[in-house]
Amino acid sequence: MLQLIEIVVAAAILLLGVLTHSGPVALLGGGFLVGIAILNILAPEGGSIYRRSLTGYTLAGLFVLGGVVLYHFAG
């Protein structure tokens, strides 16, 4: 149930960014969704939730950071 709430909140942030034409906010919502997806993809291989969260949200942070840099130079 907690993951469903996380997905709804992340999707709401993404939708807010899209509707307000704010690239960084949309990237943040997308980054949260990427982090949750990676966390769930790594679940079958095992490992602690801490390690999976660290991996997932680190990659998501890199996604957001790279997207914001590209948004800055493209806009």
Side-chain angles (χ1 to χ4, degrees):
M1 186 66 169
L2 179 62
Q3 282 189 344
L4 289 176
I5 294 170
E6 287 177 343
I7 290 170
V8 168
V9 170
I13 293 170
L14 177 64
L15 184 61
L16 177 70
V18 170
L19 292 177
T20 61
H21 303 288
S22 175
V25 175
L27 284 165
L28 180 65
F32 280 134
L33 289 174
V34 167
I36 294 167
I38 292 172
L39 193 143
N40 287 328
I41 289 169
L42 293 176
E45 85 172 25
S48 68
I49 188 72
Y50 177 75
R51 184 183 62 81
R52 291 186 288 141
S53 295
L54 188 63
T55 303
Y57 289 118
T58 298
L59 291 175
L62 293 173
F63 168 81
V64 172
L65 184 62
V68 168
V69 168
L70 287 174
Y71 178 81
H72 175 74
F73 288 114

